């Protein structure tokens, strides 16, 4: 195989006509001239009206040549220059014909999006109004469900209950036992200064029941289930599944969102009770290692137990469940149609639910202090 | 230099199965260099599965697949990657990266496997998109163009590296007759200018008769191939009624008495 240097020569025929003579090998592993060199040469010749491309001196060629020829063709077309070819290899001639069969598409200016726009105040307001609209739609769908006129399927509800509940047992067990132990350690060290170690039980019980049990459960569920909801719905969006649901005359809120919300609202309080129990046991393990007998711990813990503490925790769990499910489903339903968009939806679901959780937790604590429970 | 007369791809006693569910058994055929080879068969008979076996995405239950006389099934994954570099592939549902624009999709293989400069790559991308009739669509995301356009964009990515073998799973499904014809023209031109071998799954009878040089027919009932040869020949001379029916658009063939 000969490897001649590739190149081209411009030979003026008449004042408005130039021959472009292509020479040598035009292949990938060859240093071929790119179009910019020719571009400036052509531009300097304002009277040019005809360009004749001659290929009789060409040897090997591949897409490198074709890309070059296409640029020539497009340049000529844009500048009203008559573009002709002669003696090109047969394949190249035909490929050029295929490549120029359809006129290039001009992208409309307004279709190009800028990232700056996405954080403007207008968009933030839009985000809040659309959130409200979403919550409104959910409320309407719930009302329909109560009235018995809903397309929500029981089967879905059961699946989601299982996915959110029993399959989260392992991680919830681990987290709550450890949180109970951490609380007990923290308390024991402080209380020992007053010789009041036995009150560790009170601290653990109140801390777990009112705050830590439910909050840790909610954070685990936000990362596990909330993100899963967003990813599921986002993937359905990319596959046109949500369009299919809408065109079947089914509301995606009733069909997709409601079963998920209901499942989480049912499962979260149960998980919270379970987490509370394990958290208190975790505290007991630490207390045991600090010379508080199990009997003493149980007795003390029993004294601290009250329906108020338990109910505050359970009310929080229901509120948190709603927030997580709504944040997850909303992110999924509004997801874009690409793999990156689904990833963003999952991230958004987790971040917004954790922000919602903390705000709601603070609000409930303030309210319960005001009303004295 | 590779031998030009020997088969480019050889399928030997191939049995394909998902778990214990056998899709097709005992497939034996050769694909020659420069062939436009069509895999035909009813929906669900295992055409895409066969393609995935040839691509090495699924390991055969039994049998072997040879490229240029070397076993692909038993090759190490590095060897497989080296062989695959000379392939262009489109999948039945596109396989475009949805998080990248069309230009970025085509840029990826060019950047990985060639030493073109940035501006050369831009020219090549423009050319490949023009070939499939998508000139000017560089900055669109796959979700912003139509289904048929996605098919063509996937094709542009597949031919980015001027491959030796092109695998297409239903490239013209969902295209209008005119685009479909342009696509056929493009496939023939790719084959002639690159000397490429084309393996494609298609149901489009016009393209089958226009451009295919060889074909097989996979049967879903008997779970094996019941036709192998030039589609025009199969239509007129196959001893299998289903094959004739398929190639005559479901019309029951007349009894072959004398002239057909
Ligand atoms: N991942 C999988 N697991 C199990 N079975 C599968 C899988 N993919 C496909 N199948 C089965 O293999 C058979 C062949 O599928 P394949 O996708 O190869 O069909 P096809 O011939 O390409 O059909 P079509 O023309 O509709 O695309 C089908 O019966 C299908 O149910
Ligand atoms: Mg298929």
């Amino acid at each position: 195989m000969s490897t001649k240097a590739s190149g081209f020569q411009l030979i003026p025929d008449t004042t408005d006509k130039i021959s472009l003579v292509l020479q040598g090998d035009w292949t990938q592993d060859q240093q071929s001239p790119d179009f910019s060199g020719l571009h400036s040469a052509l531009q300097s010749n304002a009277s040019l009206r005809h360009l004749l491309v001659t290929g009789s001196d060409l040897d090997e060629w591949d897409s490198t040549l074709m890309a070059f020829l296409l640029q020539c063709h497009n340049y000529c077309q844009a500048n009203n220059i008559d573009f002709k070819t002669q003696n090109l290899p047969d394949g190249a001639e035909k490929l050029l014909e295929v490549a120029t069969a359809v006129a290039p598409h001009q992208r409309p200016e307004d279709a190009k999006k800028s990232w700056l726009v996405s954080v403007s105040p207008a968009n933030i307001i839009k985000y809040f109004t659309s959130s409200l609209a979403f919550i409104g739609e959910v409320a309407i769908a719930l009302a329909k469900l109560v009235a018995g006129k809903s397309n929500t399927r029981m089967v879905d509800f059961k699946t989601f209950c299982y996915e959110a509940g029993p399959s989260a047992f392992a991680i919830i067990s681990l987290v709550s036992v450890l949180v109970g132990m951490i609380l007990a350690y923290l308390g024991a060290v402080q209380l020992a200064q007053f010789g009041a170690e036995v009150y560790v039980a009170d601290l653990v019980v109140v801390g777990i029941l009112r705050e830590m049990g439910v909050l840790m459960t909610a954070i685990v569920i936000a990362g596990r289930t909330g993100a899963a909801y967003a990813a599921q719905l986002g993937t359905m969006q990319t596959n046109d599944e949500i369009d299919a649901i809408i065109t079947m005359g089914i509301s995606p809120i009733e069909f997709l969102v409601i079963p998920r919300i209901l499942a989480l609202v049912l499962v979260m309080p149960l998980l919270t009770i379970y987490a509370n129990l394990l958290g208190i046991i975790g505290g007991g393990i630490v207390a045991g290692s600090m010379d508080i007998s199990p009997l003493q711990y149980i007795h003390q813990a029993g004294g601290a137990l009250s329906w108020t503490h338990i109910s505050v925790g359970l009310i929080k769990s229901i509120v948190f469940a709603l927030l997580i499910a709504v944040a997850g489903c909303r992110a999924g339903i509004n997801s874009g149609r690409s793999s990156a968009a689904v990833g963003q939806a999952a991230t958004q679901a987790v971040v917004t639910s954790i922000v919602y959780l903390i705000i709601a937790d603070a609000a409930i604590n303030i309210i319960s202090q005001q009303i004295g429970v | 230099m590779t031998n030009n007369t020997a088969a480019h791809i050889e399928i030997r006693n191939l049995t394909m199965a998902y778990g214990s569910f056998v899709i097709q058994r005992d497939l034996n055929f050769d694909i020659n260099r420069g062939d436009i080879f069509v895999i035909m068969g009813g929906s669900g008979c295992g055409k895409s599965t066969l393609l995935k076996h040839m691509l090495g995405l699924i390991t055969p239950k039994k049998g072997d697949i040879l490229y240029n006389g070397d076993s692909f099934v038993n090759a190490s994954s590095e060897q497989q990657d080296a062989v695959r570099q000379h392939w262009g592939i489109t999948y039945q549902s596109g396989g475009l990266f949805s998080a990248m624009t069309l230009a970025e999709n085509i840029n990826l293989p060019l950047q990985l496997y060639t030493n073109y400069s940035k501006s050369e790559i831009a020219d090549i991308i423009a050319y490949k998109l023009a070939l499939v009739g998508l000139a000017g669509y560089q900055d669109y995301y796959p979700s912003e163009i139509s289904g048929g356009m996605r098919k063509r964009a996937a094709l542009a990515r597949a031919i980015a590296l001027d491959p030796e073998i092109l695998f297409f799973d239903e490239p013209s499904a969902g295209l209008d007759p005119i685009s479909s014809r342009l696509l056929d023209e493009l496939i023939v031109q790719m084959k002639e200018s690159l000397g490429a071998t084309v393996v494609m799954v298609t149901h489009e009878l016009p393209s089958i008769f226009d451009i295919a040089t060889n074909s097989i027919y996979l049967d879903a009932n008997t779970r094996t191939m019941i036709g192998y040869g030039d589609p025009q020949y199969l239509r007129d001379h196959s001893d299998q009624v289903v094959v004739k029916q398929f190639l005559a658009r479901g019309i029951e063939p007349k009894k072959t008495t004398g002239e057909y």
Side-chain angles (χ1 to χ4, degrees), chain A residues 6-10 20-23 26 33-34 37-38 41 68:
Chain A
S6 61
F8 59 80
Q9 246 183 328
L10 284 173
L20 173 65
V21 182
L22 304 170
Q23 295 152 330
W26 286 66
D34 66 358
L38 179 63
F68 180 84

Side-chain angles (χ1 to χ4, degrees), chain A residues 49-65:
Chain A
R49 282 292 148 261
H50 304 275
L51 184 72
L52 180 67
V53 180
T54 311
S56 29
D57 290 346
L58 270 176
D59 289 328
E60 302 269 314
W61 61 277
D62 64 10
S63 294
T64 319
L65 173 72

Side-chain angles (χ1 to χ4, degrees), chain A residues 34 63-64 66 94 105 107 339, chain B residues 98 116 119 128 135 140 162:
Chain A
D34 66 358
S63 294
T64 319
M66 297 310 301
K94 290 213 172 101
H105 167 85
R107 179 160 213 180
S339 58
Chain B
S98 57
Y116 283 129
S119 71
K128 301 291 173 177
Y140 281 70
D162 294 344

Side-chain angles (χ1 to χ4, degrees), chain A residues 207-278:
Chain A
I208 290 281
L209 287 186
R210 289 186 76 115
E211 200 62 51
M212 294 316 283
V214 58
L215 194 60
M216 292 316 290
T217 309
I219 287 175
V220 168
I221 291 295
R224 231 185 140 265
T225 312
Y229 285 178
Q232 285 162 0
L233 298 183
T235 310
M236 294 182 81
Q237 187 71 266
T238 50
N239 289 341
D240 296 339
E241 290 174 55
I242 294 195
D243 293 348
I245 289 170
I246 294 172
T247 48
M248 276 178 206
I250 303 171
S251 145
I253 304 279
E254 286 172 25
F255 193 72
L256 300 173
V257 175
I258 294 295
R260 287 179 167 82
I261 292 182
L262 290 183
L264 216 52
V265 168
L266 176 77
V267 165
M268 265 284 278
L270 300 177
L271 283 179
T272 302
I273 292 172
Y274 175 72
N276 288 347
L277 195 70
L278 285 186

Side-chain angles (χ1 to χ4, degrees), chain B residues 18 21 23 41-50 92 169-170 201 203:
Chain B
Y18 288 108
F21 177 39
I23 307 293
S43 185
C45 67
K47 302 180 294 295
S48 300
T49 306
L50 173 58
Q92 190 163 8
D169 199 342
E170 304 201 11
V201 174
H203 300 296

